[in-house]
Amino acid sequence: MHTPTSSEQDLAPIDHIRATEAGTGRWRALTDWWRDNRTTLFIRDNWPLGAVALAALALLSVLLWAIWVIVPKLIGGIDAGLDATGAWIAGGPITHSISDPMRAYLDTHTAGLPATGRDLWITWLVALGVLYLGALTGSTYARIGWAAIGALTAAAVYTGAPAGAGPAAAGLTAAVWLTLSLPAYAASSGPSLGDILDSLTDRRARRTVADTTY
C-alpha cells in the first residue's frame, strides 16, 4: 500500500483548490452568459410568448393530425352518401313513379307513328334539359316552356299510371316539378338579344354625337 509522502500531501489541497476554482470559473462563465446573452435575455423577457408558441404548435399538430386522419374518412363518407343519393334519385322509387307512367303513356300512344315510345322519351328528356338550363339562365321563353312541359308531363303521368294511381302520380310529378322550378324561376334574368342590340345602338349613337361635336 502506497503511503503519500509529505510533498504529495502538501500538493493535494492545492490540486483540490485548483479543481474547485476551475469548476467555479466554468459555472460563473455559464451564469454570466445566461445573464448577459441577448438570446437568453429575450427568452427570459418573453417567456409567455414562448408558451403561447408551444400551445399554438400543439394545436397545429392536432389540426394536422385531424386533416391527415379524419378528413379523408369524412370525404369518403360524404362521397358514399352522394353516390347513394345519386343512385336513389336516378333509380329510386320517386323517379320511377314519374318515369314509368310517362314511358307507359308514350309506348301506348305511339302506335302507328314512325317514332317509337323510346324516341319520344329521349326527345322529352332532351327538351327538359334544354328548357331547364334556359330557365336557370333567366330566359323567359325557357321558363314558359318549362311550365308548359311540366303540365304536359303531369297529364301524361296521370294517364299512364296504373288504375287508381293516377292522382298520386300526377301530384308527385307536380311536387317534384315545383321543387325544381325554385332555382329556375329565382335566377335573375340575363340580358336578352334585344337588350344587347339596343345597347350597341345607343353606344354607336353616343359615339356619333361625340364625333360631330368635335
Side-chain angles (χ1 to χ4, degrees):
M1 181 176 179
H2 175 70
T3 302
T5 61
S6 59
S7 60
E8 291 176 346
Q9 291 178 352
D10 293 338
L11 291 175
I14 296 176
D15 293 339
H16 176 71
I17 291 172
R18 289 177 179 175
T20 303
E21 289 180 350
T24 303
R26 295 191 191 97
W27 175 255
R28 183 175 300 171
L30 181 62
T31 55
D32 292 341
W33 174 83
W34 175 258
R35 185 176 60 252
D36 300 332
N37 186 268
R38 293 182 179 180
T39 303
T40 58
L41 286 174
F42 179 81
I43 294 174
R44 293 202 309 271
D45 295 338
N46 299 278
W47 66 267
L49 294 178
V52 172
L54 290 176
L57 182 61
L59 180 60
L60 180 61
S61 301
V62 173
L63 291 177
L64 291 177
W65 175 84
I67 293 174
W68 182 261
V69 177
I70 298 176
V71 172
K73 295 182 179 179
L74 182 61
I75 293 176
I78 293 174
D79 184 61
L82 290 177
D83 290 341
T85 303
W88 183 82
I89 292 175
I94 302 298
T95 304
H96 280 287
S97 297
I98 299 173
S99 62
D100 290 351
M102 185 70 186
R103 293 290 302 271
Y105 176 84
L106 294 176
D107 292 337
T108 303
H109 292 81
T110 53
L113 293 177
T116 63
R118 183 175 181 274
D119 296 332
L120 296 183
W121 169 253
I122 294 174
T123 304
W124 180 77
L125 291 177
V126 172
L128 283 182
V130 172
L131 290 174
Y132 192 69
L133 290 177
L136 288 176
T137 59
S139 171
T140 303
Y141 171 80
R143 289 177 175 178
I144 296 174
W146 174 256
I149 200 172
L152 293 175
T153 301
V157 169
Y158 179 87
T159 306
L172 178 62
T173 303
V176 172
W177 220 268
L178 291 173
T179 303
L180 293 175
S181 299
L182 288 176
Y185 289 104
S188 59
S189 298
S192 62
L193 180 59
D195 295 336
I196 296 174
L197 292 177
D198 291 341
S199 176
L200 292 176
T201 303
D202 293 341
R203 186 178 301 175
R204 290 175 181 174
R206 289 194 300 267
R207 186 177 300 173
T208 302
V209 173
D211 293 339
T212 54
T213 301
Y214 289 104

